[in-house]
Amino acid sequence: MRILIVGLPLFGERLKEDLILFDKNNEYFFLNTYYNKWDKLRALFLIPTVDVVYSINGTLDKSKVFDLALFFKKKVMMTWVGTDVLKAKKIKNINLKFLNEIEHFCEVKWIQKELKSINVDAKILNFFNFQEKKSNDWLKNERLQILSYISKGREEYYGWDAIVEVAKKTPEVDFTIVGTDLQKGTPENMKCLGWVDNMDHFFNRCHSTIRFLDHDGLSGFVLESLYRGKHVFYTEPLEHCTHVKNTQDLYEGVLELSEKLKKGELSINTEGIHYVNTNFNRDFILNKLVETFTK
């Protein structure tokens, strides 16, 4: 079979590479039909030749890619990932073909429930995957080190105000922010580095991470944090993370973690590592994807 992956470029390109290495029985392609004009043109010629079109991102509105795939009677699958659900809930004229003729998936139950409210019946299917990690280094540092990703230009959506407020209240804790280089109103213990190429370096230099959004799908940043044994503050109710519903929750959680570190009572999040190794194991996730593509 021939499978074309479209949708969010960062995740789509990575998944294509994973599947090519994992599955030698099928052919995999990725096209960046969002931002690449050449890929948009290539899609016109490639879609008629593939068996499955799989999108990492959902819509009930407009899509030339989905229109073309359905016209050629291809199997079309879309995985909803978070912000796309918010957009879909605002659509007044839903494309019934996309609703009824496309197979819908999502990664977690809270998105599944939200999709159900707009009559999208989605099955759970994940694409984030990790090779089993048997050991992680634990940072030895007297000051608590916290890492967060905040998208440049979308600081408010990513919890900028809350993280700045907590950083100001906990001067004994160091905060490193990647993604945005905004410096407005930040205290001395908070550094905003902008886009970075080597995330390994920053994960290795932290004890904890923060993902503070009002609405989120299953975050790859959170899974990566758990995979590396970090203590995660998350606004969604994911296993082995500290669920923080507001700024006060976040502040109290950071303070507690800092006190534990000072007392020598803070250790690696082994439960988080086990959770990712078990539920997002590369063989398990990719086998399930291939099975779904080919059934």
Side-chain angles (χ1 to χ4, degrees), residues 28 75 286-295:
Y28 295 92
K75 177 178 180 179
L286 296 185
N287 260 321
K288 186 66 176 178
L289 271 171
V290 173
E291 176 186 310
T292 308
F293 290 149
T294 57
K295 71 180 181 181

Side-chain angles (χ1 to χ4, degrees), residues 157-187:
Y157 182 77
Y158 275 77
W160 171 265
D161 290 340
I163 295 173
V164 170
E165 182 178 334
V166 171
K168 288 179 177 178
K169 289 182 177 179
T170 55
E172 70 278 17
V173 177
D174 293 328
F175 292 77
T176 299
I177 310 298
V178 297
T180 183
D181 54 5
L182 187 66
Q183 304 293 336
K184 183 180 179 181
T186 58

